[in-house]
Amino acid sequence: MKKCFGFLLTLIFICCGGQGPSYAQNPVDNPSQVPALTPHPVSPGPVTTDDEIIADLNLDAPGLEKVKAAIQTGDIPAAQAAYLDYRRTASPAKWKITPADEPAAPTETDDPVGDAICKHLLSNRYFRLGSPPPAQIDVGKDFNWKYNPLPPSDPAYTSLWAAMMDRTPWWDDLAKAYWQTRNEKYAVEWVTELRDFARKNPVPPGTTGMWAPPSLWVSLDVGIRMSDPWPNAYYHFLNSPSFTPADNWLYLKLVRDHAIRLLTGLKVSPDRSGNWVILECSGLYTAGVLFPELREAAAWRQFAVDRMLLEMKRMVPPDGFEAELTPGYHMTVAKGFRSSLELAKLNKLPISEAFQSKVIAMYRALVLVMDQEGNDVPTNDSTLINARYEAKTGLEIADDPLLEWAASGGKSGTAPPDSTMLPYAGFYAMRGGWKPNDLFLFFRAGPPGIGHEHQDMLEITLNAWGKTLLFDAGRYTYDQSDWRRFSNGTASHNTIIVDGKWQHRPKNKVPVPPVSNPWVTTPLFDYVAATYDAGYQQSVYKAQQYDPQRWVGEVDKSVSHTRRVLFLRPYYALVLDTLDGTGDHTFDAHFHMDAPAAHLDLATQAAF
């Protein structure tokens, strides 16, 4: 079989010219007219029992004397009342807000978003799942916690509808409505939903790993809601007269259910890594910090911190970019670490300097590969992330000259070089300068990532004159459509397919070594080269969740693709593609342009 090779030369020239609780009480508008919530026995309710909570409470902790006395006499209602008083007045635990922060007087007369929630009309912005249904989603009079607008047979069906319901993001809006208006109807709605959640959604028996039987106890969602929306709502409604001692006791049981669910899942999978693990740890740590009177709380905190430190070593290499190599999930992980760090500082709990340093390194990594507008290329399953905005939040943790430069728009701090790279991620950012109109070229030439990977080795993206010219479309909705398959595949990225087949690399495991690609950056030019040789395979559509495809036939490794990128500052980029191998093959070089007026010269194959 004869040796064959081909090459494709691409010259990119940029000229220098410019260019309501209907199942409880009916909501009312006057807080003074809100009737007291009727007793609401929770059945089957939380898995944690009264006896387990009593055994787990450290009754010798300062402030729990009345709780201890009531329990010793067997008066559980009195113990619940004393415990609520303790949580309101004596608990040493601190959250990012406290009931004392509540405005002394209403700042708004009504809240349309809160009113809609009281009618069980949830905004589609909570779901963020591609083509949305109507602006408000009716989850029913009886509050359907497992609502999904589409049947599983629909290509646009996604199980993430359930995930968004699981995470209760609208509780933040209910809390905001309550504090702004002081209208008790919002507290009534939250308490009713809390009871309803407990009654309808106990932890399924035998639930251990990441997944759970059809329920609201998938470990990721448990970690997310315990990290923020649940404690945030709790501290907003803690002083509400509608939040009774029995409700506070119920919330405590649910916190323990959450913590045990998270701890069990983490212990079962000690080798698992990724954003799920960090959010699970964050939720477990939050439970341990906010309820220190539970005897298990210290162990929860210690386990969570130890696991997060281990995951930092596994998932965040020296260049600071999280191993999923997906900017959106990179920030998900950074914020999971960050929330635990901030909670530790707020509650004066020990946490290592290495922990803080690694979080700062993650914020820095975003800046090093951002474009002149501050955006990171949404490679893999990423949304658009603005590193300048994130740098401002990073500075709340610690001072850093690079983050200061990014956050200030270059007015202070220390700028990075015009062109930068991350050796473990294999991300290359080439720039004509840092002015908004300067050229920006991104080249991806590293591992696929440990999750959320796209088949896009050697892709380039290009911005110039404040305009995206060659783009990476980023994440498509996690549905089971052929569009999801296409968005993940080679054909949707600015690289090459061979014989109609796509690149097919499995996700990598961590850790991975730094790339060994040649890289030169000078005041006159940047140069980088890399090779894809993991083979091409046929992808066909198969309707299934998350990854709706199957790979057929053998992986063809008879052809390799080398891409060399020469960026001649400040206006030219030269891209040389070489295909080496044996046999006869066809190739397609894809360049996805964000330019509806672009046209192709068929004679020269040049696009204008």
Side-chain angles (χ1 to χ4, degrees), residues 2 341 370 373 398 406 509 518 538:
K2 67 178 182 179
L341 176 65
M370 73 182 187
E373 297 295 322
K509 297 181 180 180
Q538 189 71 41

Side-chain angles (χ1 to χ4, degrees), residues 349-424:
L349 294 169
I351 200 156
S352 72
E353 285 296 321
F355 196 107
Q356 176 171 297
S357 297
K358 187 65 79 171
V359 176
I360 292 296
M362 295 184 73
Y363 282 90
R364 288 174 57 90
L366 282 181
V367 172
L368 290 172
V369 290
M370 73 182 187
D371 65 20
Q372 289 86 345
E373 297 295 322
N375 296 317
D376 276 47
V377 174
T379 188
N380 279 350
D381 267 337
S382 184
T383 52
L384 195 63
I385 298 296
N386 187 276
R388 292 193 187 278
Y389 171 82
E390 299 297 349
K392 295 177 182 178
T393 60
L395 286 172
E396 296 172 4
I397 302 173
D399 292 333
D400 181 87
L402 179 65
L403 299 186
E404 182 184 347
W405 172 85
S408 68
K411 295 177 182 178
S412 59
T414 303
D418 285 348
S419 294
T420 50
M421 63 89 73
L422 300 178
Y424 288 83

Side-chain angles (χ1 to χ4, degrees), residues 284-499:
L284 180 61
Y285 187 76
T286 301
V289 170
L290 297 184
F291 291 87
E293 63 272 18
L294 294 176
R295 298 181 192 276
E296 296 171 277
W300 297 342
R301 296 194 304 268
Q302 190 62 54
F303 183 92
V305 168
D306 289 347
R307 183 65 179 268
M308 282 190 282
L309 286 169
L310 174 61
E311 295 304 318
M312 282 182 168
K313 294 178 181 178
R314 288 173 169 173
M315 295 167 52
V316 188
D319 66 11
F321 215 98
E322 193 263 340
E324 286 163 290
L325 302 180
T326 307
Y329 286 102
H330 172 93
M331 279 315 303
T332 295
V333 169
K335 289 175 180 177
F337 287 140
R338 174 203 171 104
S339 67
S340 298
L341 176 65
E342 291 179 327
L343 207 53
K345 289 182 175 180
L346 187 62
N347 288 272
K348 295 181 171 56
L349 294 169
I351 200 156
S352 72
E353 285 296 321
F355 196 107
Q356 176 171 297
S357 297
K358 187 65 79 171
V359 176
I360 292 296
M362 295 184 73
Y363 282 90
R364 288 174 57 90
L366 282 181
V367 172
L368 290 172
V369 290
M370 73 182 187
D371 65 20
Q372 289 86 345
E373 297 295 322
N375 296 317
D376 276 47
V377 174
T379 188
N380 279 350
D381 267 337
S382 184
T383 52
L384 195 63
I385 298 296
N386 187 276
R388 292 193 187 278
Y389 171 82
E390 299 297 349
K392 295 177 182 178
T393 60
L395 286 172
E396 296 172 4
I397 302 173
D399 292 333
D400 181 87
L402 179 65
L403 299 186
E404 182 184 347
W405 172 85
S408 68
K411 295 177 182 178
S412 59
T414 303
D418 285 348
S419 294
T420 50
M421 63 89 73
L422 300 178
Y424 288 83
F427 290 174
Y428 297 82
M430 290 163 266
R431 309 176 186 89
W434 283 103
K435 296 188 296 295
N437 284 347
D438 285 332
L439 186 146
F440 171 82
L441 190 149
F442 175 83
F443 180 51
R444 179 164 187 188
I450 66 169
H452 295 281
E453 68 283 354
H454 288 186
Q455 300 298 333
D456 60 352
M457 177 71 165
L458 308 185
E459 89 152 351
I460 62 169
T461 67
L462 179 71
N463 299 6
W465 299 107
K467 169 71 175 174
T468 298
L469 299 179
L470 301 176
F471 65 91
D472 184 318
R475 185 184 75 186
Y476 190 78
T477 301
Y478 294 156
D479 66 11
Q480 54 190 12
S481 71
D482 202 15
W483 281 111
R484 169 68 181 165
R485 179 184 75 98
F486 174 76
S487 72
N488 286 14
T490 313
S492 67
H493 295 86
N494 300 315
T495 187
I496 284 177
I497 64 175
V498 176
D499 297 329

Side-chain angles (χ1 to χ4, degrees), residues 254-297:
L254 288 169
V255 167
R256 187 174 181 272
D257 282 358
H258 279 66
I260 291 173
R261 168 72 183 98
L262 293 168
L263 184 64
T264 302
L266 289 164
K267 285 185 173 180
V268 163
S269 307
D271 297 326
R272 183 164 54 92
S273 287
N275 66 85
W276 283 50
V277 172
I278 303 311
L279 293 174
E280 291 164 25
C281 288
S282 177
L284 180 61
Y285 187 76
T286 301
V289 170
L290 297 184
F291 291 87
E293 63 272 18
L294 294 176
R295 298 181 192 276
E296 296 171 277

